Amino acid sequence: MATAATASAAAATRFTRLAGAGLRRSRLPTAVRFQRRVLTTTALLRTAELRPKEQGLPETLDYRVFLVDGGGRKVSPWHDVPLRAGDGVFHFIVEIPKESSAKMEVATDESFTPIKQDTKKGNLRYYPYNINWNYGLFPQTWEDPTFANTDVEGALGDNDPVDVVEIGERRANIGDVLKVKPLAALAMIDEGELDWKIVAISLDDPKASLVNDVDDVEKHFPV
């Protein structure tokens, strides 16, 4: 069962420090690669041209959402999209759109790391309700399963990318690449594994300029 270990307001610079302490920042730029690189450097990738491409039927075991560039070539949403999108701004990959319940995730062990629906004992997984935010990951991040974070009960990383909860009003699509700014950080411990949740807001949200920390979230997005 997951429990909240720590919660704090976090602007972009604060998130950078959290990443350094909890995710072994020295290993963030490369993460772990499972496929041959299509691009020689992420600097060549034009994120504005990236788009999701579906393969198979939704809510089946074969369903995949790939990310393709302007030329239709597959790229990895985890490995090839740069983390930083500017000063205090980060790229965010949408796995689970707002107001949906299918538990989608990047397939970290498949070529080009497409997004697929998670399974348990061969069955597709769902939330018991539609979530109220866009959920996904920060590219080129990785929670190291060999690093014990002394700031969070010595928990080890969960061997996955860092999770993001985007609270804006727009419902995004699976595979969308959004520019977001972090607002807060929550460290979850699930069966001894550390699982960071970064609360963020898309820069194109109407309230983005009004929300800069967790106090602003409570003011402009009351429960």
Side-chain angles (χ1 to χ4, degrees), residues 175-191:
D176 280 353
V177 181
L178 306 181
K179 293 180 180 180
V180 302
K181 62 177 177 179
L183 305 172
L186 177 66
M188 307 293 290
I189 298 178
D190 188 0
E191 297 182 354

Side-chain angles (χ1 to χ4, degrees), residues 8-140:
S8 62
T13 53
R14 183 74 177 278
F15 167 70
T16 300
R17 291 199 293 273
L18 283 170
L23 305 176
R24 302 193 73 176
R25 186 179 176 184
S26 63
R27 303 184 71 164
L28 287 182
T30 54
V32 178
R33 298 190 178 278
F34 296 95
Q35 79 283 336
R36 184 183 299 277
R37 287 295 300 272
V38 175
L39 305 173
T40 57
T41 173
T42 55
L44 298 177
L45 194 66
R46 296 184 179 182
T47 55
E49 296 180 354
L50 297 177
R51 60 183 177 83
K53 183 177 182 180
E54 295 180 300
Q55 177 178 297
L57 296 175
E59 299 187 60
T60 67
L61 294 173
D62 295 328
Y63 182 63
R64 298 290 185 275
V65 178
F66 288 89
L67 200 62
V68 299
D69 64 13
R73 296 167 296 188
K74 292 177 180 177
V75 299
S76 167
W78 184 20
H79 301 317
D80 291 321
V81 178
L83 172 61
R84 296 184 178 275
D87 186 16
V89 180
F90 299 83
H91 286 118
F92 160 57
I93 312 297
V94 179
E95 294 172 303
I96 308 174
K98 182 177 182 177
E99 302 303 333
S100 66
S101 62
K103 298 190 75 170
M104 310 298 294
E105 63 177 17
V106 162
T108 58
D109 58 349
E110 295 184 14
S111 181
F112 295 104
T113 63
I115 299 170
K116 67 174 184 178
Q117 189 166 351
D118 190 21
T119 60
K120 185 174 183 178
K121 296 182 178 179
N123 297 315
L124 297 172
R125 298 185 67 191
Y126 295 85
Y127 290 105
Y129 48 81
N130 287 346
I131 63 173
N132 296 317
W133 47 80
N134 295 304
Y135 188 89
L137 65 104
F138 275 142
Q140 299 198 32

